[in-house]
Every structure is written in structure tokens, then in C-alpha cells.
Amino acid sequence: MHRITLGSGAGALSPAVATWMRTGGRRRVRPREQGLPHPLELGTPPPCRRPLSSASAPPPPSRPRRPPAPLPVRIADLIGSRVSAGSLVGDGAQRRAASRLDSLAAALDGYDNREAFEGYDRAGRGGAAAPGRPGIVVPRGLFLHGPVGTGKTMVMDLFHEHVPVPAKRRVHFHSFLADVHRRIHALKRRDLAERGRDFAVDTSVKRNPIHRVATQLASEVSLLCFDEFQVTDVADALILSQLFGTMWARGVVTVATSNRPPGDLYEGGINRGYFLPFIDLLRRHCVVHEVGSSTDYRRLLSDGMDEFLFVARDGENQDDANAKCDDFFSQLLDGAEPRSLDLNVAFNRTLHVRQAHPDGTIGRFDFDELCSVELGSSDYRALAGQFRAVLVEGIPVLTLEEHDKARRFITLIDELYEADCALACSAVAPPDHLFRGRSGETTREEESKHETGGIEVKVGEMFGIDVAQSSGKTVGDLASVRELAFAFERASSRMTEMCSKSWWQKAQP
């Protein structure tokens, strides 16, 4: 078997991997995972701050609000101290974003949305509307957008950790939407079990599942922080106005990071006209701030990728890269025999793992078994929750003709990144060259021609009719290609960081 040199001697593990193995690959808990549980990521019903009915949450008992207190720490000062210590590179765009977040943190000191919640429910019973009642001030949230790797997630995580709001939650936007759809599905099943099928259309708000789920969420948190706010699916696009409109009306404050400004979200998506009201709502309830840095710090600070990312030397022939990945897995096993296991996934499903370390901390997969079959975010989340390191072999170049595989791969990388999983993989090309608009074209070349699966369109054009193309794909499938290109740029940046020596070192306690 071909051996690869890792660390100081032939066949030896690098110090980062050796240390990681000595610690047993135990999970390093991120600061944002401390405190409140994160049911949106776990898919389990969260503890509510007040009881709920099937329609809406009743007004909670009144209690005096605690007086405002000085902020314990400023995000700008935390970043400044890290720059002074040499762990961060000074960046004016990050400092300006931190200043915005510090202003919001000051406005949120002691904030509780229950007063706005009561006002909204009182208005529904014929009382004064919440916006017209004196004393109810709901701070505007913040929407941070900018290129990948510029520190948006870092500053938002620092904000979430230190903002003086007890009822807060930080979640990846994709996981949030998956949880919303699960809740809607559960409500519909419960209504069917309790009431049977209706032969009349009930348009009342109390029976509207989107409104009821939004009310549940507003009863659980005062502050929601979203990472990677992105809309690519028409099913998500059509519910966001009502979902967020209900939460914002009940005083929920939102902070989000995104690679796109609000006006470019769901650009070119089918039936985008139904999505446009959400953009207006977002601009009303959130201050939009661009993080204008041009530096991708993930790439800048990543090192030692050759020990964890094995790129084929001979074009499409990945035999040498796969051999290196196989050798690396053998070293991690350290003489033990791999075992198979089954992971529990949402909706009573299981995900079979053919090869795993006996202690269950390392999983080995082929690209096709993860991204060429019908798997979704819940499957990848179960995988990321089980393993502290994941090996993926045989990653090909991904094109628009196989955009479904590209979307699954992006979701896989996002879930592994959110869980702080270490990554090793073999691929036909470096991360920057794994996605092409079409065969032989890069993403940027494709974008410059404003093409979507071979059909030339204007940027932002709406497709009201889902016309089938010669490739067998529909315009509705391909209309969010620009979103896919931005998402893959993020995935490429994250892959670079996750396959670095410093990331493997962070994967230990």
C-alpha cells in the first residue's frame, strides 16, 4: 500500500493528528453552544418560556423588567485584544461591524419581547396595537453581508455570546428552515389526528400552521442569530414573509450573516415576485450593513492542507489521492478494525455508515454514498453530531448538469463546519476548482455570460413558467445558479479551513 509522509517520519502522523488521537477526538464546545439548548439544530421541541396552545401563546404573567446594566464587554474590545495578542489580523471592516453589533447589544440590554408579544395579542382582542402603545420599543436587528471568509460569523458569534439577552438562540439558517418545515408538518399531522379532514377551507389565522409556528418561535426567544442567510428553494421563499412578519410583529430581533445583500436574495428564483415583500420587511426590521473586506481569512490562516487534503495528480484519475486517503484512515485506526454503524435521523430514518473507527469518532465515506443519493441536511447533521472527524473520498468536479450533487455537497460541508468536525478528503482538484458552471467553464465565466444551464437570461429575471430544458432540468431547478455559485465559494473556503492543521488542532478540547 502506498504510504504518505505525515509529520516527521515516513508513515508517521503529524503532531496535530497525534494529539487529536490521544484526546480521543472529544468535541470542543463552542461558546455559542453553551447556555440555552439549541433545539432548532437538534430537531427536538424546545423548552418554552411560557405555555403554548395550538393557536397562539397566551400572555405571560407580568413581572418587572430588570434595570439596564453596563455591558460587561464590547465586541470591538474583544476583537482589539485578539489583534493585540496576534490571534487575529486587524481589519477595519470587522471593527465597523463590531461597532454596529455593540450598538445593538446596548439597545438589547435587558430586552424581553414578551411586552411586544402581549401588545400584539391585545390588539388581536380589540385593544391598542403594539406599535401604537407608548413604551414598547423593539430594536431593529442587523443584516451583515459580504464576501466569504471576512469574519461575519466570528463577530456575530461574539455578539451572541456576550449580548445581555437571556432568551437567545444562534442557528444556521438552513437548519432553522428545516426545523420550521418539521414543525409545520407536525402541526398538520396533529390537526388531522384531532379534527380529521375538513371539506371546507379554513382561512382563519388560528388554523394557519405558518402563523402558529412563528408564534411558537416568538414565545421561545427574544433574539435569533442566523448564520449563512440564503434562500434557494421556492418552498422556503414562499413562507418567509408570513413567518418572519409574525415573529417581528411579536418583538423578535434578528441578526444574520449572508454572502448576498437583501436585494440579491433568491435572485432569478421561480415566482420571485412572491418573495419580494419579505425583502421589504427585512429592510424595515433590520439595519443592513456590508462587511466590505476583500480578504478571505480562512484561506489566509489555513496551513498544513497537504496532510489532510489529497488532490489527484493525474486529472480525473484519483487512484493516487484515494490511496493516500486510505493510508491516512489506516493510520487513524492504528491497527484496529473498522466497524459499521447506523445513525438515527429525523422522521424515524437511519443512515448506514459502512466504515467507522471502533470508538465511533471517525467516519469514512465515498462521495457518491453521501451526495449521489437522496440525503438532506438532517442526515448530514446526524453524521456531524456523531463523528469528530470525517473522511470523504472521490470528490469529483461538480457542474450544473449535476447541481443536485453540488447542493448536497455544500450542505454537507456546512453541517460539518457548524459542528466543528475535522475533515480529510481526496478530490480530483483543489477546492477552488471543484465547481464549474458547465463542463469546461468556471463559475465566474458562467456568471459573466448570465447563463443558466445553457439558457441566457438577464440577472434577476423571474420565471413564471417552469419550462423544461433539453438537459432534462427545468428553469426552476436552475434559476438559483447564481446562489449556488456563491454557496460553493463559501464551501470552498470552509473546506480549505477544515482540512488545515490548525482546524484539526481546534477539533480537540
Side-chain angles (χ1 to χ4, degrees):
M1 181 183 297
H2 174 77
R3 305 293 292 179
I4 179 175
T5 301
L6 297 176
S8 58
L13 290 172
S14 69
V17 181
T19 304
W20 187 87
M21 292 182 64
R22 285 197 301 271
T23 62
R26 293 186 298 275
R27 179 170 184 166
R28 179 179 65 90
V29 179
R30 280 186 173 182
R32 66 170 179 265
E33 296 174 341
Q34 299 171 351
L36 281 177
H38 292 270
L40 291 176
E41 296 183 335
L42 299 176
T44 57
C48 297
R49 292 181 292 158
R50 47 184 173 268
L52 292 170
S53 68
S54 61
S56 61
S62 60
R63 67 180 184 188
R65 294 180 57 182
R66 68 182 180 88
L71 293 179
V73 66
R74 297 179 69 252
I75 310 304
D77 293 339
L78 286 174
I79 291 178
S81 63
R82 295 186 181 187
V83 171
S84 300
S87 58
L88 281 182
V89 178
D91 187 290
Q94 291 179 7
R95 288 194 297 270
R96 289 187 290 273
S99 178
R100 287 277 194 177
L101 289 167
D102 282 330
S103 298
L104 177 58
L108 286 171
D109 185 25
Y111 176 72
D112 192 319
N113 71 319
R114 287 183 297 179
E115 189 176 2
F117 204 108
E118 291 178 41
Y120 189 90
D121 287 345
R122 186 179 293 108
R125 297 191 297 270
R133 293 183 63 217
I136 298 181
V137 178
V138 179
R140 292 179 72 192
L142 189 63
F143 189 92
L144 300 173
H145 69 92
V148 299
T150 53
K152 302 181 297 296
T153 298
M154 177 197 68
V155 295
M156 187 188 73
D157 285 348
L158 288 173
F159 166 80
H160 175 265
E161 180 182 357
H162 295 283
V163 64
V165 176
K168 58 186 176 181
R169 188 173 300 144
R170 188 269 192 205
V171 64
H172 191 277
F173 190 63
H174 195 94
S175 300
F176 170 77
L177 290 178
D179 180 74
V180 167
H181 286 295
R182 281 194 296 270
R183 293 186 187 216
I184 291 174
H185 179 72
L187 282 176
K188 288 181 177 180
R189 286 179 61 88
R190 189 176 70 185
D191 287 348
L192 181 62
E194 293 177 354
R195 300 182 178 89
R197 293 191 181 276
D198 291 331
F199 293 93
V201 178
D202 187 347
T203 59
S204 62
V205 171
K206 68 178 182 178
R207 296 290 298 276
N208 186 316
I210 300 172
H211 174 88
R212 290 157 65 187
V213 167
T215 301
Q216 289 176 358
L217 292 167
S219 74
E220 296 162 7
V221 292
S222 297
L223 172 66
L224 271 173
C225 296
F226 298 113
D227 191 29
E228 304 298 349
F229 198 106
Q230 184 183 22
V231 184
T232 59
D233 187 89
V234 64
D236 297 331
L238 294 179
I239 69 171
L240 289 188
S241 291
Q242 185 177 3
L243 179 73
F244 278 84
T246 302
M247 290 195 298
W248 282 327
R250 285 164 169 75
V252 176
V253 178
T254 56
V255 176
T257 69
S258 178
N259 298 134
R260 311 296 302 276
D264 291 347
L265 292 172
Y266 196 52
E267 186 176 24
I270 188 171
N271 292 328
R272 189 172 186 255
Y274 293 104
F275 177 74
L276 296 179
F278 170 74
I279 297 177
D280 295 334
L281 279 173
L282 176 64
R283 287 172 172 156
R284 177 183 176 187
H285 290 278
C286 294
V287 175
V288 178
H289 178 81
E290 180 180 7
V291 182
S293 177
S294 59
T295 303
D296 185 345
Y297 290 100
R298 294 193 190 110
R299 302 181 190 276
L300 182 67
L301 301 177
S302 297
D303 60 338
M305 281 185 57
D306 292 342
E307 299 183 15
F308 309 102
L309 176 61
F310 313 115
V311 178
R313 296 197 190 103
D314 185 21
E316 296 295 329
N317 186 355
Q318 297 192 56
D319 290 345
D320 60 325
N322 290 338
K324 293 178 182 179
C325 200
D326 183 71
D327 183 66
F328 181 71
F329 185 59
S330 297
Q331 294 179 59
L332 292 177
L333 288 173
D334 195 24
E337 287 295 323
R339 68 182 180 97
S340 63
L341 54 87
D342 293 314
L343 303 180
N344 293 323
V345 188
F347 301 110
N348 297 320
R349 296 186 297 109
T350 59
L351 177 64
H352 181 68
V353 181
R354 291 187 299 107
Q355 287 189 314
H357 194 280
D359 65 6
T361 60
I362 306 170
R364 181 184 182 183
F365 303 88
D366 184 82
F367 174 86
D368 286 333
E369 65 181 314
L370 289 179
C371 301
S372 297
V373 294
E374 296 294 332
L375 298 181
S377 59
S378 57
D379 302 279
Y380 302 137
R381 198 173 308 122
L383 184 153
Q386 171 68 35
F387 300 116
R388 293 309 310 131
V390 172
L391 280 68
V392 181
E393 297 182 27
I395 302 173
V397 170
L398 300 165
T399 65
L400 288 184
E401 285 79 5
E402 299 178 316
H403 65 97
D404 51 347
K405 294 183 182 180
R407 293 185 194 280
R408 293 189 192 108
F409 183 67
I410 290 169
T411 304
L412 170 66
I413 294 299
D414 283 343
E415 294 294 346
L416 295 179
Y417 188 87
E418 286 294 304
D420 287 333
C421 284
L423 176 67
C425 54
S426 64
V428 72
D432 287 342
H433 301 284
L434 284 177
F435 180 73
R436 293 178 183 152
R438 289 190 300 170
S439 299
E441 294 182 356
T442 65
T443 299
R444 296 189 185 278
E445 289 169 347
E446 181 76 6
E447 183 179 339
S448 68
K449 293 183 179 181
H450 305 311
E451 292 186 343
T452 320
I455 304 299
E456 292 193 3
V457 299
K458 295 180 180 180
V459 175
E461 181 179 355
M462 293 181 294
F463 298 96
I465 302 176
D466 209 15
V467 183
Q469 304 300 316
S470 59
S471 63
K473 302 295 189 295
T474 62
V475 171
D477 289 333
L478 301 176
S480 57
V481 164
R482 285 170 59 86
E483 293 289 346
L484 182 62
F486 277 93
F488 208 92
E489 188 176 356
R490 179 185 73 244
S492 171
S493 174
R494 288 184 164 185
M495 275 186 69
T496 302
E497 185 178 16
M498 294 163 68
C499 290
S500 68
K501 183 184 299 184
S502 57
W503 187 270
W504 277 73
Q505 290 172 336
K506 287 198 304 181
Q508 60 186 327

